[in-house]
Amino acid sequence: MSGYAAALTRFLASRASKDWRELAVFRPGGAAERAAAAADAERAAGHVVAPAPERLLAALAETPFETVRAFVLGQDPYPTPGHANGLAFSYVGPPPLPRSLVNIYRERTEDLGQAAPVSGDLSSWASQGVLLLNTALTVREGASKAGSHLSLGWGAVTDAIITAVSTSRPHVVFLLWGALAQAKRGLIDERRHHVIASAHPSPLSARRGFFGSKPFSRANEWLVAKGEAPIAW
């Protein structure tokens, strides 16, 4: 079995999906199945789609529901061939790093006074309870293809995930990067959770509010105030 529908089936049968699979969007015939089928149709039509099917739900697999305490929400996976790996903004590969990630590291340095890592792999964040998700889980690869799968049906899946985290997790800081992420703000119960919203770290928008937003220190300050351990960003 190959493709996104098959990858979804394998994920839902795995131990990693234990709590995520309870969401209605993951039931047979649900929104996740329909979006995965649409992504497979894109591949069948000759388009190269990212990330690879086996990384489709990496964000949920690497950050179990019961561990979520921070939620980084972006737009969609990197469209540059070989860049997307299923964790929003993460990159595993040789230099140069994606430009959005370079800007994230720049803000991290300014905010926390720490040198930028050499690696773009953000799985260490995921293992600490940082859910790294995009509003769309797939994208066509290639120049000018960003946003190409925003209407494929992933929005219903993302909405369900945000709503479930907001409803059932005790204290989560949501980092909403970009207009599409901020459009989800209404799904978050801000009486229980904290939202840090800013421009997207893309070179096209980072200077319009991402730089100087200090998301990492602000997130940790709020988590500590709620009795949570800070995140080693």
Side-chain angles (χ1 to χ4, degrees):
M1 296 175 68
S2 62
Y4 295 99
L8 173 63
T9 298
R10 288 193 296 271
F11 170 74
L12 294 176
S14 71
R15 293 182 62 188
S17 72
K18 181 172 67 73
D19 292 307
W20 295 116
R21 77 168 74 105
E22 300 301 319
L23 301 185
V25 289
F26 289 124
R27 293 173 186 165
E33 186 176 290
R34 295 193 298 271
D40 282 335
E42 284 273 285
R43 295 176 78 201
H47 301 292
V48 179
V49 178
E54 62 269 19
R55 297 293 297 176
L56 174 66
L57 295 165
L60 304 187
E62 296 191 27
T63 307
F65 183 84
E66 67 272 14
T67 71
V68 177
R69 56 202 188 97
F71 196 139
V72 173
L73 186 63
Q75 177 177 298
D76 55 356
Y78 294 126
T80 304
H83 278 196
N85 71 358
L87 300 180
F89 301 106
S90 183
Y91 167 71
V92 179
L97 299 180
R99 291 179 294 171
S100 291
L101 185 54
V102 169
N103 287 339
I104 290 170
Y105 282 169
R106 172 180 165 180
E107 178 61 22
R108 175 182 176 274
T109 295
E110 291 295 320
D111 187 8
L112 303 179
Q114 300 174 5
V118 174
S119 169
D121 183 3
L122 301 182
S123 59
S124 66
W125 293 7
S127 66
Q128 296 177 75
V130 181
L131 185 59
L132 297 166
L133 201 70
N134 284 304
T135 57
L137 301 188
T138 57
V139 70
R140 288 185 189 176
E141 282 194 346
S144 303
K145 297 300 183 182
S148 53
H149 282 186
L150 291 175
S151 61
L152 217 59
W154 292 118
V157 180
T158 303
D159 288 358
I161 292 169
I162 296 168
T163 300
V165 169
S166 175
T167 301
S168 301
R169 293 294 299 149
H171 306 298
V172 177
V173 57
F174 287 81
L175 287 75
L176 308 182
W177 290 347
L180 289 173
Q182 291 178 45
K184 307 291 188 180
R185 187 166 186 164
L187 301 173
I188 302 165
D189 183 354
E190 296 189 51
R191 297 167 299 180
R192 304 172 60 220
H193 307 294
H194 185 51
V195 172
I196 300 174
S198 74
H200 194 278
S202 162
L204 299 175
S205 57
R207 295 184 182 278
R208 298 200 298 267
F210 180 75
F211 291 143
S213 62
K214 299 186 181 298
F216 309 107
S217 62
R218 290 167 63 194
N220 278 350
E221 287 169 4
W222 187 83
L223 288 170
V224 169
K226 293 297 182 181
E228 299 279 350
I231 294 163
W233 299 103

